[in-house]
Amino acid sequence: MDPFVFAVLPTRMAAKLHKELQDLSNFCTERKGGEKYGLPNSLSVLSETPEVINSFLNSQVVQEIVKYDGIFESMHISDQYTGLIESADTQDSAAAPVTPQKLMIFTFKIPGKGRSVMPSHMGLTLPLVKMALRFIDKVKQIRMSREAKDKAAKRRLKVGESLLKQTHAQRQEAAQQRREDKRRAEKERIMEENDPVKARKLEEREHKKAMKRMQPKMKQMKVRMS
């Protein structure tokens, strides 16, 4: 699979998913209305590169989506899928970075809204299921230009470096929080023991650390004279 991210999403949800899904947020810079490509205006198209749009949204695919507009919900094809962007509150700083997956996700609405599904309802989804299966070969056959591949490689390198820096900063923050929790627990233990000697020594240590943090950091510059 060539390196790209592509999606056709319901317009009512496109902005939200563009912001919340990691691969769409990182690699799809713009979102366009489906009518630009012959699709219903209830759909939006997101693509990392314009090169794959015409290959995927050819006349046959567009006709099938238009014909079964009430059943088709979305498609999402990506070589960088990692799911939702985690908030600062839910991120595990100790966890290893998520490895991107190559996948295709097609979503269809079952007629009857899932409450009274009949065999005939399922049959209505068959043309779209066949379309999704054709996309397996279609994705394999995509051949992007050298320029598009180079841009995609640079984009992935930049995103990877950014995520690595973010993970490092989060781990440092978590380590600092653990040190503060440890100091707080030690102070509470000493106060509960009501030992004035230990309490004084703890205060002295904290005072020294505070004074050290307040000292200006000096930089050395060496000049070699010839």
Side-chain angles (χ1 to χ4, degrees), residues 72-91:
F72 179 87
E73 176 78 5
S74 67
M75 73 169 75
H76 184 173
I77 305 171
S78 175
D79 76 316
Q80 292 290 308
Y81 185 82
T82 55
L84 294 170
I85 297 174
E86 293 186 0
S87 65
D89 297 333
T90 59
Q91 283 179 334

Side-chain angles (χ1 to χ4, degrees), residues 56-72:
F56 288 148
L57 298 180
N58 58 29
S59 58
Q60 182 183 6
V61 171
V62 168
Q63 287 173 10
E64 287 174 324
I65 292 177
V66 170
K67 183 176 180 179
Y68 299 100
D69 181 33
I71 299 174
F72 179 87

Side-chain angles (χ1 to χ4, degrees), residues 27 158 166:
F27 299 104
K158 184 177 179 180
Q166 182 181 344

Side-chain angles (χ1 to χ4, degrees), residues 35-212:
E35 64 275 9
K36 179 178 175 63
Y37 306 101
L39 297 172
N41 58 15
S42 58
L43 296 172
S44 293
V45 177
L46 293 82
S47 184
E48 178 180 0
T49 172
E51 289 190 10
V52 303
I53 297 178
N54 290 335
S55 297
F56 288 148
L57 298 180
N58 58 29
S59 58
Q60 182 183 6
V61 171
V62 168
Q63 287 173 10
E64 287 174 324
I65 292 177
V66 170
K67 183 176 180 179
Y68 299 100
D69 181 33
I71 299 174
F72 179 87
E73 176 78 5
S74 67
M75 73 169 75
H76 184 173
I77 305 171
S78 175
D79 76 316
Q80 292 290 308
Y81 185 82
T82 55
L84 294 170
I85 297 174
E86 293 186 0
S87 65
D89 297 333
T90 59
Q91 283 179 334
D92 183 358
S93 59
V98 178
T99 302
Q101 294 180 322
K102 298 178 181 180
L103 53 68
M104 297 192 306
I105 302 173
F106 284 78
T107 308
F108 307 134
K109 293 174 284 189
I110 303 299
K113 298 182 178 180
R115 291 191 293 268
S116 57
V117 180
M118 305 292 290
S120 58
H121 290 159
M122 298 302 295
L124 292 174
T125 66
L126 187 58
L128 291 178
V129 171
K130 290 180 177 179
M131 180 191 76
L133 293 175
R134 290 200 307 272
F135 263 80
I136 296 174
D137 291 330
K138 194 179 288 289
V139 169
K140 292 178 181 178
Q141 293 166 2
I142 288 289
R143 294 293 180 269
M144 293 163 52
S145 67
R146 173 53 57 188
E147 181 183 2
K149 285 184 177 180
D150 288 344
K151 287 182 178 179
K154 290 178 182 178
R155 204 174 290 119
R156 278 149 183 72
L157 180 61
K158 184 177 179 180
V159 168
E161 290 174 347
S162 176
L163 292 175
L164 193 62
K165 289 179 182 178
Q166 182 181 344
T167 301
H168 180 66
Q170 289 167 353
R171 288 177 177 172
Q172 285 187 318
E173 185 179 343
Q176 177 65 24
Q177 185 62 49
R178 287 194 296 271
R179 288 193 291 269
E180 291 179 0
D181 292 342
K182 185 178 179 180
R183 284 197 296 267
R184 190 180 302 109
E186 182 184 6
K187 185 174 183 178
E188 290 175 355
R189 179 179 58 79
I190 290 174
M191 296 302 291
E192 288 174 358
E193 291 178 0
N194 198 22
D195 187 330
V197 176
K198 289 184 178 179
R200 188 181 71 253
K201 289 182 178 180
L202 178 63
E203 289 178 1
E204 288 175 355
R205 287 202 304 270
E206 290 184 345
H207 178 70
K208 286 180 181 179
K209 289 179 180 178
M211 293 299 293
K212 188 176 181 180

Side-chain angles (χ1 to χ4, degrees), residues 4-7 14-15 17-19 21-32 37 45-50 53 151-152 155-156 158-159:
F4 65 85
V5 179
F6 173 84
L17 293 173
H18 194 186
K19 181 179 178 181
L21 284 172
Q22 189 93 51
D23 60 335
L24 296 183
S25 178
N26 286 336
F27 299 104
C28 296
T29 56
E30 58 182 327
R31 189 174 66 252
K32 296 183 179 180
Y37 306 101
V45 177
L46 293 82
S47 184
E48 178 180 0
T49 172
I53 297 178
K151 287 182 178 179
R155 204 174 290 119
R156 278 149 183 72
K158 184 177 179 180
V159 168

